[in-house]
Every structure is written in C-alpha cells, then in structure tokens.
Amino acid sequence: MRLRALLENDALGLRLLGGEDELDRTVRGVMTTDLKDPSRYLSGGELVLTGLAWLRDAADAEPFVRILASAGVAALAAGEAELGDIPDDLVQACLRHRLPLFAVNETVAFATITEHVVRQVSGERAGDLAAVVDRHRRLMTSGPAGGGPEVVLDLLGSDLDLRAWVLSPTGRQIAGAGEPLDSGLAATLAGEHLAATRTGRRGPHRLNAAGATYSLFPIRNTGRGPAPASRDVRETVLSDWLLAVEADAGDWPAARLDLLQGVTQLIAVERDRRDAARTVRRRLAQEVLELVQTGAAPAEIAARLRVAAPVLLPGLGTAPHWQVVVARVDWDQEAGQGTPVDGGPVAQALLEEILVDPATVGAESADRIAVAHSGDEAIALVPLATAPLPDSEDEGQPTAALGLHADALLAAVRAPLSAGLADDGRLTLGVSAAVHSAEGLRGALEEARHARRVAAARPGRVCAAGHHELASHVLLLPFVPDDVRRAFTARLLDPLRDYDRRHRAELIPTLEAFLDCDGSWTRCATRLHLHVNTLRYRVGRIEQLTGRDLSRLEDKLDFFLALRMS
C-alpha cells in the first residue's frame, strides 16, 4: 500500500508534517518503537510508530531519523499524546533526510493504525499473488512469436502497470510499449547492466536515473534450457539483450520476480528466431570473404555480390557501393578467468549491433548487414545507399556513396561498451573507403584491416580508425618501435627540455607554436604574445642547442614527428 492511502483515511488520525513529495512510497509493514536505535529490527519499507519516549533533548532527533532513513523505512508517525505538538527539531531532521513525517492524533491508538496496515498489506500480497499467477499464464499463452516482444511488454503495461523496454547491449531500443526511452538514458542503463554483469552481480540490477528507479533483467537463456554453468560471461556480455523496467524490483514478491524471469525467457526465444534469420546474411558475407581472400576472379566475386544485393537491399535496381568494416575484441587472459575466449563470434555479434543506426528502433533494422568472422576478427560487408553529386541534375549523372565514418560508429556506444569490456577487454575497429566494384573489395579489406591496426595502437578500451587516416603521417607513428621512438625524441628534445628546466625559457612551447603556425614569425609571435625579436632569439637558441635549422623542411619535419611521438 502507498503512504498516500494512509493519509486519505480519516479514521487513522494522521496529519502530514513533511514529505509530501514522498507519498508514493510503498508500505510493506509496521513497527512500534521507543528505542533510540531500532535499526536491528528494521528491514526497510516499514511505517514506524513512536510515542517519542526516546526524545530527551533536541540533539536526539537527528541520529534517530538518520537511523530510520538509512534502514529504508517508508515513513515515521509520531504520537502527540506524550508531548503534544511534535518538536520542530524532529520535523527538520525528517526534512533533511527526506523521511515523511506524520503526527498521530492523541485520540487514535497505535494498535488501530497497526491493524489497518497489516490487513491492507496482507490483502494486497494475496491479491497480487493470484493476479501474477493469472498474468503469467496469459503471457505464456500469448507469447512473442506472433507479434514480437511488444506483445509481452503491452501486457506488462496494461495488467501490471509496468513500463518496460528491451535494449541491446549498446542501449539501442529493440522493443517497447508506449513512449520510446530517451537514448541517453538507454545508454546509461545498458552501461550499468554491462558493468554489473562483468562484476558477477546477480540480476535484476537496480539503479536510479533521470528521477526514477529502474530494474534491469538480463535476457540470457534461449528458451531451450539454461546456459551451461561453465560458460564464460565474456562470450555473451557484449551481445545479450536486457529488459529495463521502470520500477524497483526490490519491493517485489517472489511470484512477480518469477513472472519477469518468464518474460525474459519469452523474449529470448524471439531473439533466437531473429538470430536464425541472420544465418543467410552471415553465409553470404562468409562466401564473399572467402572469394576475396583466396584471390578469386573479379567476375566470380561480382556474381556473388549480385546474389547478395537483393537480400541486403530489397528493391534496389542497381548494384550498390560497398564498404568493409573490420572489428576485433581482445581479452587480457591474465586479467580474465578460465580458458581463452574465442573473439571472432563475440566481435561478429557486436559488429552486427554497432552497424545499426542507434536512432533506429527494432531488431529487424539489422537485416541489411552481413557480417562474417575469420579467426579473431569480424568482417562486415556493408552495402551503401547512393546520392546524386551536388552538380548532378540528370538521372544519368554520377552518384556518390554515403559511407560510414569510424568515429561516428562508436560515438553513441563507446560508454556502454567500455563498461562491458571492463578492465580486461578491448574493441578495435577499422573502416575502409567505399568501392563500387568487385575488383576493389580486396583492397578495401586490407585497408580496413590496416585501419584497425592503427586503432589498436591507440590507448583506450574502444578505438576506431578510418581509411582517411591511412594517407597521413600519423599512420606511421604507432608502428615505430618504442626504443626507436625514445631515442629519436630524446636526441632532438632533451637538450631543449634541460634548458627549459634550468632557465624557464619555454623553448618547447615556442617550438610547438612555431611549427603550428607553419613557420610564420608574425603569426607565432602574436599567438605567444611576444615581440618578433624575442621569438627570433628563442628559435635561434633552439637551433643552437640541437644543431638543426628551422628554415629547412627536413628539420621542421623531424621536430614535428618528435613532438608527436613524445
């Protein structure tokens, strides 16, 4: 029952002194006490009745209220028979701890309130149990097979007044009843679920977010029996869905928890069905990949692409452009547990999710993505839509492929995936340029693999690199051996660092600014707020200490690379 219901019953003689915003709290029991510290007898959710015999002076109110709030009681009801008006110190302490406070009229016995609460709570529990059993039967007979998870979520909303959503591990909404969940909130819920799963905490996981309490139920089983007990959580943590319910499952009886577990099993069956539908697309991608890697003739690859195009882009009249994305998930075996995890299938399932537009609702939106895995890496063959070039007016004019960008792919999913990878996992991803023919696929695959290696050389749990970075000097830097990098930077920069340390001359910042301004004396002096002559003196000192000439392109480039590698 709710606190609000107690206040609305005039026979109970309750008067609210504070906590109007908390009247929707659930009362699960009642306790009468005049102990200064009743914590050992509290389990949370109680309406605490007290005659205030423990209140000797003003200092007693704060610790008493703090004990009740820490124990999670629903509210405090203080009798007026002993002291008359409730002391203001008690009122203020309850306000500070957001604990609802009632005054009990001296004409009302605590036994009256106790009997009412016990009768109401017991009746609600019995009724709730019967209703849950009936709803469980309805859910099991309705099932999601005909209408998807939305059927089950609609029943949760209409029969149990529960708002719920099915989310992917990246926080993308797969199903929901009513208003869609805010994308930022969904990512937060997914990240909390992944973090809790990695630490081994049992579901449902609960958290407060955006002013509400959510309970997160893992959707792990397939409906064909429990998963093997020895299965490493890292094999599934980045691919399992979750059920997010706007409610505090800590208040629920066992029967309702069992009902929600049944819901997750129904949704898992639907997940199995949709995964089976991906088999054709995965097979197409695997066949194309094998042809490309074995050096098959372009005509043979083109024929296979013509088969793939109608499956991946139904109704498309012409062959699309293609893009290749390579992903790899690596686990630190020393930090992990058990036997090594096969990263290929993990990366495959994760890449299938990442390539879906995060703003798209529904699981079927992944139908146009074909992902294979080879060894520890997953490889996606992505068909691209095309658009007329800006200067094109006729239908016969050239078109440009609307391609994927590495950073954009991970922007919306970096936070939740980092939580799932925890301290022992890494995701690296590389994206090729768009190609319009079978001849270009082999080069696109190598380009995507090379870009992924560039990403792997960067710090962080989730990293990506695109084809545009392969035309820059930054491609070379990650592959320079560490001892060579240290020797090169020390030879050029250590004399400047030593001089700066002794004289506070700021030669290193001056060198950075000079190179950033392309050697322009005027622009560099303005940026550093120096006179040009002072700048010339500093640059001259840099040249003297290093034996280099900053008017020469070769020496400028050496300094630039040394600063980048330092």
Side-chain angles (χ1 to χ4, degrees):
M1 66 178 303
R2 306 284 182 180
L3 288 175
R4 191 179 305 279
L6 292 173
L7 193 61
E8 293 170 351
N9 190 329
D10 295 336
L12 299 181
L14 297 176
R15 180 164 48 89
L16 184 65
L17 300 181
E20 185 175 0
D21 294 339
E22 306 291 335
L23 291 180
D24 285 326
R25 289 189 181 186
T26 301
V27 179
R28 296 203 299 269
V30 63
M31 174 191 176
T32 300
T33 184
D34 273 315
L35 295 174
K36 294 184 69 173
D37 181 3
S39 58
R40 73 186 71 179
Y41 305 109
L42 298 171
S43 58
E46 298 92 347
L47 171 66
V48 174
L49 304 173
T50 180
L52 299 179
W54 53 268
L55 187 62
R56 302 300 181 185
D57 56 53
D60 292 338
E62 172 65 26
F64 181 79
V65 172
R66 184 171 60 249
I67 289 169
L68 299 189
S70 299
V73 304
L76 173 65
E80 296 179 321
E82 184 76 19
L83 302 177
D85 292 339
I86 306 303
D88 187 61
D89 297 301
L90 181 59
V91 175
Q92 294 303 317
C94 288
L95 289 174
R96 283 193 296 273
H97 291 278
R98 300 181 64 84
L99 181 67
L101 175 63
F102 299 102
V104 183
N105 191 283
E106 61 181 350
T107 63
V108 179
F110 282 176
T112 301
I113 299 174
T114 300
E115 181 182 355
H116 176 80
V117 171
V118 170
R119 186 169 59 249
Q120 291 296 319
V121 171
S122 299
E124 287 180 2
R125 285 176 178 168
D128 189 56
L129 177 58
V132 164
V133 171
D134 179 63
R135 286 156 185 156
H136 194 281
R137 177 188 58 77
R138 292 180 58 196
L139 287 170
M140 290 304 175
T141 54
S142 297
E150 288 81 2
V151 172
V152 176
L153 301 185
D154 283 338
L155 281 174
L156 287 179
S158 61
D159 284 17
L160 292 180
D161 195 25
L162 292 176
R163 300 176 66 207
W165 303 265
V166 178
L167 304 178
S168 77
T170 66
R172 184 176 62 86
Q173 181 174 321
I174 293 168
E179 291 293 320
L181 199 61
D182 175 76
S183 59
L185 174 58
T188 299
L189 297 179
E192 171 64 22
H193 169 74
L194 290 173
T197 301
R198 287 305 315 276
T199 57
R201 285 159 47 196
R202 295 184 62 184
H205 314 303
R206 293 176 290 156
L207 78 156
N208 294 315
T213 301
Y214 294 87
S215 298
L216 311 176
F217 294 81
I219 301 174
R220 294 195 185 117
N221 292 347
T222 63
R224 302 168 184 165
S230 61
R231 194 172 191 179
D232 194 320
V233 67
R234 294 173 297 173
E235 294 181 14
T236 60
V237 67
L238 298 177
S239 59
D240 283 340
W241 291 355
L242 67 137
L243 177 68
V245 182
E246 188 180 348
D248 188 348
D251 293 335
W252 290 357
R256 181 170 288 196
L257 286 172
D258 288 344
L259 170 64
L260 266 293
Q261 294 298 341
V263 168
T264 63
Q265 291 176 19
L266 287 173
I267 297 173
V269 172
E270 179 69 5
R271 171 70 187 271
D272 266 359
R273 184 187 69 80
R274 296 183 180 186
D275 279 349
R278 289 182 175 179
T279 303
V280 173
R281 297 189 297 279
R282 287 177 171 177
R283 185 180 299 119
L284 285 172
Q286 196 72 44
E287 290 174 355
V288 173
L289 174 64
E290 290 174 359
L291 290 174
V292 170
Q293 293 189 125
T294 56
E300 187 177 358
I301 300 174
R304 183 56 56 188
L305 287 177
R306 284 194 294 273
V307 173
V311 175
L312 300 177
L313 288 177
L316 189 68
T318 58
H321 290 72
W322 302 90
Q323 206 165 4
V324 176
V325 182
V326 173
R328 179 170 173 143
V329 175
D330 294 291
W331 301 102
D332 181 356
Q333 298 305 326
E334 293 183 3
Q337 55 183 346
T339 58
V341 177
D342 186 358
V346 178
Q348 181 181 40
L350 188 55
L351 190 53
E352 286 172 335
E353 171 60 30
I354 290 174
L355 290 175
V356 179
D357 183 348
T360 303
V361 175
E364 301 298 345
S365 54
D367 281 351
R368 296 181 176 182
I369 296 166
V371 183
H373 74 83
S374 176
D376 287 334
E377 67 180 10
I379 302 167
L381 184 65
V382 183
L384 301 177
T386 57
L389 292 171
D391 296 333
S392 299
E393 298 180 358
D394 300 329
E395 292 185 1
Q397 292 297 316
T399 59
L402 304 177
L404 302 171
H405 296 277
D407 291 336
L409 284 175
L410 297 181
V413 302
R414 182 172 274 108
L417 290 184
S418 296
L421 292 163
D423 294 329
D424 61 340
R426 287 199 76 205
L427 166 66
T428 51
L429 185 144
V431 181
S432 77
V435 296
H436 65 276
S437 65
E439 290 88 343
L441 277 180
R442 185 176 181 83
L445 176 59
E446 292 306 314
E447 194 173 52
R449 281 175 167 162
H450 210 156
R452 193 207 63 78
R453 287 193 288 271
V454 171
R458 295 172 175 167
R461 290 289 166 194
V462 180
C463 298
H467 61 92
H468 59 282
E469 299 181 61
L470 304 187
S472 168
H473 64 276
V474 297
L475 169 65
L476 304 175
L477 300 185
F479 304 104
V480 177
D482 287 343
D483 55 344
V484 175
R485 292 159 67 105
R486 285 192 294 269
F488 181 73
T489 57
R491 191 161 53 247
L492 276 178
L493 301 182
D494 278 2
L496 306 183
R497 292 187 179 120
D498 292 341
Y499 192 87
D500 280 348
R501 194 161 40 247
R502 293 196 308 269
H503 302 284
R504 298 182 180 179
E506 298 188 351
L507 296 185
I508 292 289
T510 300
L511 175 61
E512 291 175 331
F514 186 71
L515 295 174
D516 196 41
C517 292
D518 298 323
S520 170
W521 297 98
T522 303
R523 282 195 289 128
C524 185
T526 301
R527 174 181 295 190
L528 296 175
H529 305 289
L530 298 175
H531 192 278
V532 172
N533 289 341
T534 303
L535 176 61
R536 290 185 183 277
Y537 172 80
R538 289 187 182 180
V539 170
R541 178 64 68 184
I542 291 171
E543 293 174 335
Q544 180 185 15
L545 291 170
T546 60
R548 299 298 186 106
D549 182 356
L550 277 168
S551 65
R552 298 179 66 248
L553 176 62
E554 294 86 347
D555 288 342
K556 285 181 183 177
L557 181 59
D558 283 349
F559 277 123
F560 178 80
L561 294 174
L563 289 169
R564 280 297 186 97
M565 289 190 293
S566 63

